[in-house]
Amino acid sequence: MDRTVKFDGVRFDSLGLLLTKNPVPPCSTQDYETIQIPDGPVLFSQKFTRQPVQLGIYCTIIEPGKLREIYALVQRKGKLILPDEPDKYYNAILTIDTPQNIILQYHTIVFTAMCEPYAYSIENPLEEYPLSAASWYKFTSVVNNGTAECEPVYIIEATSEFDFWGGNDKHCRIHISKPEIITIDMPRRIVYNASGENMLNLVEGDFFDMILKPGENTVRGTAITGLKIQKNERWY
């Protein structure tokens, strides 16, 4: 297994940084307990999710001449890939916690990665889904392999005005008068056609809530002839 950290496309070992501790993938769920109520002590536990998480990365510097390049990594947002999860990345900001005199004297350095709550799949293909016909709509099954709800990109071919339902049964209607290819980009909160024309003024409904739940989802629509989805799977 590749035992190095990658950040914003840069391998730590290419900068002479060797891990001294294996960084544990962060968890964005936290347990809280209430142990005292007026009638007596009661244990109560509940999971709260979507919390930003901090991760310590401990390294030895074997090439002090690259310290300038090391400092160039910090205070910017990038994709963080950990050795135990090479197929996933975290959106993170790196900072350096170690004073420079300690770095120069002992050749050790500690980074803190402030990570957004989710890990995302590095492999995130745009996939075409076959449509099955029902009485008045067409549908398909989409599997979200992640542990969290994900915000996909839907690319929909339609012949005319159509209704569309996401995996959580949220619905939108797009008022078009001719065949179009419409992209609903949930992460970027935009809707546009194949020419790049903004179509938000033709959309009504819950079009930015049409997430995919973990597991199997049914996606359906009227007057649609083709469907591609980039799932943007993510994990807590």
Side-chain angles (χ1 to χ4, degrees):
M1 185 178 291
D2 193 359
R3 304 308 303 177
T4 192
V5 169
K6 301 172 188 174
F7 179 73
D8 204 21
V10 178
R11 294 172 58 95
F12 271 34
D13 56 4
S14 73
L15 299 178
L17 294 169
L18 298 183
L19 294 174
T20 55
K21 292 183 179 181
N22 189 43
V24 178
C27 176
S28 63
T29 61
Q30 298 180 9
D31 286 322
Y32 294 85
E33 290 186 344
T34 301
I35 59 174
Q36 186 69 44
I37 62 173
D39 293 334
V42 172
L43 287 176
F44 175 77
S45 142
Q46 183 177 0
K47 282 192 179 293
F48 292 82
T49 58
R50 303 183 185 180
Q51 302 294 319
V53 285
Q54 290 188 28
L55 171 68
I57 303 174
Y58 298 80
C59 299
T60 296
I61 302 174
I62 61 173
E63 295 186 48
K66 292 190 174 182
L67 195 57
R68 185 184 297 274
E69 296 173 63
I70 293 171
Y71 271 91
L73 283 179
V74 300
Q75 300 296 349
R76 72 172 190 252
K77 189 175 182 178
K79 293 181 179 180
L80 177 70
I81 303 174
L82 303 176
D84 283 348
E85 292 185 326
D87 60 335
K88 300 181 180 68
Y89 71 88
Y90 296 85
N91 290 316
I93 296 176
L94 281 188
T95 58
I96 293 175
D97 291 347
T98 311
Q100 190 172 39
N101 64 313
I102 300 299
I103 294 173
L104 294 173
Q105 182 175 358
Y106 296 104
H107 295 175
T108 61
I109 189 168
V110 179
F111 298 88
T112 292
M114 178 59 74
C115 302
E116 292 180 1
Y118 305 104
Y120 292 86
S121 176
I122 291 176
E123 297 294 330
N124 187 28
L126 178 64
E127 300 177 89
E128 187 167 0
Y129 285 82
L131 296 169
S132 300
S135 57
W136 51 273
Y137 61 88
K138 291 182 180 179
F139 68 94
T140 192
S141 177
V142 184
V143 176
N144 173 9
N145 297 295
T147 59
E149 297 174 344
C150 64
E151 298 182 325
V153 175
Y154 299 104
I155 300 180
I156 306 161
E157 295 183 40
T159 56
S160 59
E161 177 179 285
F162 66 94
D163 293 279
F164 189 77
W165 289 262
N168 59 347
D169 222 30
K170 294 291 186 180
H171 160 261
C172 75
R173 175 173 294 170
I174 300 185
H175 300 279
I176 56 176
S177 57
K178 62 180 181 179
E180 293 265 23
I181 299 176
I182 302 296
T183 297
I184 301 175
D185 189 329
M186 290 184 55
R188 295 195 296 161
R189 298 296 189 263
I190 56 176
V191 179
Y192 55 93
N193 65 9
S195 300
E197 182 183 358
N198 188 343
M199 307 292 280
L200 273 173
N201 61 319
L202 301 179
V203 185
E204 63 174 297
D206 302 313
F207 52 98
F208 290 142
D209 293 322
M210 297 187 302
I211 54 87
L212 296 174
K213 299 173 292 185
E216 188 170 0
N217 296 257
T218 298
V219 173
R220 56 197 170 99
T222 63
I224 63 175
T225 58
L227 177 64
K228 295 179 180 179
I229 301 175
Q230 188 174 42
K231 294 186 287 187
N232 298 321
E233 292 170 326
R234 55 192 186 181
W235 287 257
Y236 286 127

